[in-house]
Amino acid sequence: MAERFISIEGIARRFPAPGGETTVFADLWLAMARGEFVCVIGHSGCGKTTVLNILAGLDAPSAGAVIVDDQAIDGPSLDRAVIFQSHALLPWRTVVGNVAYAVKSRHRGWSKARVAAHAQRFIDLVGLTGAEHKRPAELSGGMKQRVGIARALSIEPKIMLMDEPFSALDALTRGTLQDEVRRICQETGQTVFMITHDVDEAIYLADKVVLMTNGPGAVLAEIVENPLPRERSRHDVHRHPLYYAARNHIIDFLVSRSKTFRDEAGASYDPRNVAVVRPGFAEPSLAKPTPPAAERGRQAAAQ
C-alpha cells in the first residue's frame, strides 16, 4: 500500500492469568489508507474490540505500536472519535446539547453561536432536523445512534472507530443507518475502522474486510478486498455477480477456516504480509493464450 495513514505494527495484548498470562492476540500488522472503510470480523474472544480500544487510545498494547498520520498513539485524542454499541449520550442534554458538547471540546475558543451552527450542520447531516431540543429519553434507539454519529462527526476526526454501532437496532433501522453512514463517509472521505459480526453489513459498507482467527492467540488471517464497485446501492448489492462469492468466502472462514487457519498455515504464515484476496477473481494464469483461428491455421501450415 502506497499510503499508511494508519499503521498497526506488531501489536499484541496479554493479560495476567493463573500460572502465567493469556495472549488475546499477537503480532498484528495492518495498514490503512486515508479515506478507507475497513471492517474487522472474527468470533467473540479474538480481540476485535481490544484492537479498536488500542486505536482509540483507551488501552495500550503489550507490544508493538499504532501510528496514525505519522504520530504514535499514546492516549485518547479528539482526532479519533468512537461510536460504541450503546449511544452513551448525556441524558440531561438535548440533541443539540450533546453534539455541541463535543464541538466545544474540540473548539474551546468558539462563540456559542458558532458552536451551535456547527452542531446543527451535523444534526442535519444525520437527518435529525426538527429534533434538536429533544432529550435522549424522547428518542428512539435509531435516533439516539444518529446523535452519536453526529457527535462523532462534529469533531471532524481523522478516524472514526465504530464498535458494532448498529447491533442493538431492529433490521429496518439498522439498514437506514447503514445507508446514512455510507453516504456520509463517501461525501466526507472519512476514514473508518469498524467491528461487526454482520457479514452483509461488512460487504455493503467496507472497502476491505479483515478476518481474524479465533482467540486466544488470534492472528490476522486474510484481508478481503471488496470486489463490488465502490458506488453501490443496498437494493442492488445482492444482484451483483460477485456478491455471493465475497459472502461465501467470508462465511466459510467464520464457520471453518477460522478454527484451523493457524495449524494449516504453519511456518508459511507471515504476519507482516497477510494474504490479500479478492473473491470471484481467478488467480493469474501462466498458460499461453489460445491463438486466433487464422494464426492457428498459419501455424498448422508451417508444420
Side-chain angles (χ1 to χ4, degrees):
M1 181 181 294
E3 181 191 16
R4 288 177 174 265
F5 179 60
I6 300 173
S7 185
I8 295 175
E9 302 183 353
I11 63 171
R13 192 65 178 96
R14 303 181 181 92
F15 294 97
E21 61 182 11
T22 297
T23 300
V24 181
F25 55 78
D27 211 12
L28 301 190
W29 295 78
L30 180 67
M32 286 176 57
R34 192 185 304 269
E36 271 193 327
F37 197 127
V38 170
C39 280
V40 179
I41 289 183
H43 290 289
S44 296
C46 70
K48 302 183 301 297
T49 296
T50 302
V51 174
L52 183 141
N53 287 338
I54 290 172
L55 275 166
L58 301 174
D59 196 357
S62 305
V66 179
I67 313 297
V68 175
D69 203 13
D70 297 325
Q71 296 291 323
I73 291 177
D74 61 0
S77 167
L78 290 173
D79 285 338
R80 303 182 299 279
V82 185
I83 301 175
F84 298 102
Q85 295 179 39
S86 170
H87 52 80
L89 302 180
L90 301 176
W92 60 90
R93 288 183 177 268
T94 62
V95 169
V96 68
N98 269 279
V99 179
Y101 183 80
V103 177
K104 285 188 286 187
S105 298
R106 170 64 109 175
H107 304 288
R108 297 184 181 277
W110 281 12
S111 67
K112 186 176 181 180
R114 188 176 181 186
V115 167
H118 189 81
Q120 187 66 50
R121 171 187 162 200
F122 290 93
I123 291 170
D124 295 342
L125 189 65
V126 299
L128 284 176
T129 308
E132 293 89 346
H133 302 294
K134 291 184 177 181
R135 287 182 168 78
E138 303 173 86
L139 304 176
S140 68
M143 294 174 76
K144 291 173 185 175
Q145 283 299 80
R146 285 174 184 263
V147 179
I149 293 168
R151 181 177 59 186
L153 290 169
S154 71
I155 63 174
E156 299 177 298
K158 291 181 178 180
I159 312 169
M160 189 153 67
L161 304 167
M162 307 176 76
D163 187 3
E164 297 189 70
F166 314 125
S167 60
L169 304 175
D170 63 89
L172 184 60
T173 304
R174 183 166 62 247
T176 301
L177 280 183
Q178 288 169 355
D179 290 341
E180 288 296 311
V181 166
R182 178 160 177 75
R183 175 184 62 80
I184 291 167
C185 290
Q186 285 190 306
E187 290 177 358
T188 62
Q190 182 68 57
T191 305
V192 182
F193 182 92
M194 177 175 167
I195 292 170
T196 182
H197 282 102
D198 188 327
V199 174
D200 293 308
E201 178 174 81
I203 294 172
Y204 178 53
L205 294 175
D207 301 310
K208 294 177 180 175
V209 181
V210 177
L211 305 180
M212 290 187 71
T213 63
N214 293 0
V219 299
L220 299 187
E222 290 179 354
I223 298 172
V224 180
E225 288 190 345
N226 196 333
L228 275 61
R230 191 173 178 85
E231 297 295 329
R232 51 187 179 263
S233 163
R234 169 181 301 281
H235 303 294
D236 297 327
V237 163
H238 70 282
R239 298 188 181 95
H240 194 279
L242 296 178
Y243 167 74
Y244 283 105
R247 190 176 193 273
N248 291 343
H249 182 89
I250 296 171
I251 289 177
D252 175 65
F253 175 83
L254 293 173
V255 171
S256 59
R257 291 189 296 118
S258 61
K259 306 170 188 175
T260 61
F261 174 82
R262 285 175 294 174
D263 292 334
E264 292 177 354
S268 65
Y269 175 72
D270 182 357
R272 295 190 181 217
N273 294 287
V274 176
V276 177
V277 298
R278 202 172 188 210
F281 285 80
E283 291 297 321
S285 174
L286 297 179
K288 294 182 180 180
T290 303
E295 180 63 22
R296 288 200 301 270
R298 285 194 295 269
Q299 290 174 359
Q303 295 174 356

